[in-house]
Amino acid sequence: MHLETKTWTDLDSVETDLALLPVGSTEQHGPHAPLGTDTLNAETVAAAAAGQYDDPVVITPTVPVGIAEEHREFTGTLWTSESTFRSYIREIANSLIAHGWDHIVMVNGHGGNIPALREVAEQVTRHDDAYAVPFTWFDEVGEHSSDMGHGGPLETSLLQHTNPNIIKEGRLESAAENGSQRWGNWQGRVNLAVDSHEFTENGVVGDPREGGPELGAILLEAAADALVELLDAVDGYPTDTSNPI
């Protein structure tokens, strides 16, 4: 159940300790996909899993701005510092904990958020009398995870399935032709690039033409199923991890 659509009295009677905290980003995704791609995809996966889960799960509003300074050269991209982001997410988590929703899954849609979310989840678990884990949807789609780029086939396909009018289909050719096939500018195992404009002309990594709504349906099912399984594992997990199971 989405917090923003309920009254406090509705929520006061809900018996659950499970919460989903979707986290996205507002950043360029090439000429064909919107800046809110990561936000839309994170909240879609969270809602799909909550809808499948047998017990009530509360869902927070999606955090729309994350760690995205690597896309700063592309108009419209917004970002925070890592320290601001970590503090903000942890304080939202503490708000949930205060209401008894102390088993939290952070449902992430942006690669740049991953290290910070892992750190926040660890700090919540160690110090806040709660249990938290991060979940990044595109890491949980089986063999398709290896095709993750940026504005590439995975992110584009999920939007084509769930928000079919939001992708600018007429720009897919130019998105592929002026993008990059690999994230970064590598020398051995060292990425020489700091920001994405150094290796992709239009911000795209991967070929968005290789997907489509059919792939998007497969991705949503896989990610939602994985998140449901995670909720099962998280539900009832001890909040005092100093005493392992």
Side-chain angles (χ1 to χ4, degrees):
M1 59 190 66
H2 291 82
L3 295 185
E4 65 265 41
T5 66
K6 303 297 182 182
T7 69
W8 78 264
T9 52
D10 294 333
L11 294 164
D12 198 43
S13 61
V14 174
E15 294 185 6
T16 186
D17 61 5
L18 289 173
L20 296 177
L21 199 174
V23 185
S25 184
T26 300
E27 64 183 53
Q28 70 82 18
H29 277 80
H32 65 296
L35 273 72
T37 292
D38 294 343
T39 301
L40 291 168
N41 286 342
E43 63 188 18
T44 293
V45 171
Q52 294 177 26
Y53 200 63
D54 291 336
D55 297 320
V57 183
V58 299
I59 309 175
T60 72
T62 306
V63 176
V65 178
I67 301 169
E69 192 173 4
E70 67 269 24
H71 300 295
R72 62 197 173 98
E73 296 295 331
F74 294 93
T75 304
T77 296
L78 306 178
W79 64 89
T80 72
S81 67
E82 291 194 19
S83 59
T84 296
F85 178 80
R86 288 194 301 268
S87 294
Y88 187 54
I89 298 298
R90 187 170 178 186
E91 290 177 13
I92 294 173
N94 280 316
S95 299
L96 293 168
I97 295 163
H99 298 301
W101 303 317
D102 57 4
H103 287 69
I104 302 166
V105 179
M106 303 165 183
V107 183
N108 178 46
H110 171 50
N113 294 338
I114 292 174
L117 288 176
R118 167 53 65 186
E119 181 178 344
V120 172
E122 290 171 351
Q123 292 300 307
V124 167
T125 299
R126 287 174 177 146
H127 303 294
D128 297 339
D129 294 322
Y131 184 73
V133 292
F135 173 94
T136 297
W137 75 265
F138 49 79
D139 286 339
E140 301 290 345
V141 291
E143 63 183 9
H144 299 289
S145 292
S146 61
D147 294 328
M148 184 58 184
H150 187 75
L154 268 63
E155 292 178 308
T156 301
S157 294
L158 187 51
L159 283 179
Q160 286 171 317
H161 171 58
T162 60
N163 293 271
N165 298 319
I166 209 167
I167 294 293
K168 298 185 182 299
E169 299 286 344
R171 298 180 183 176
L172 291 176
E173 291 292 331
S174 64
E177 292 170 1
N178 297 306
S180 170
Q181 289 304 307
R182 187 183 186 192
W183 182 276
N185 181 10
W186 294 86
Q187 175 59 46
R189 294 182 179 271
V190 177
N191 182 6
L192 302 177
V194 174
D195 292 331
S196 60
H197 76 281
E198 297 174 53
F199 53 85
T200 172
E201 179 182 338
N202 63 5
V204 175
V205 177
D207 189 340
R209 300 171 300 182
E210 294 178 353
E214 296 82 6
L215 174 59
I218 293 170
L219 297 174
L220 180 58
E221 181 179 7
D225 287 349
L227 183 49
V228 166
E229 291 180 3
L230 180 59
L231 284 169
D232 270 333
V234 167
D235 190 18
Y237 202 89
T239 56
D240 182 0
T241 57
S242 64
N243 296 309
I245 296 173

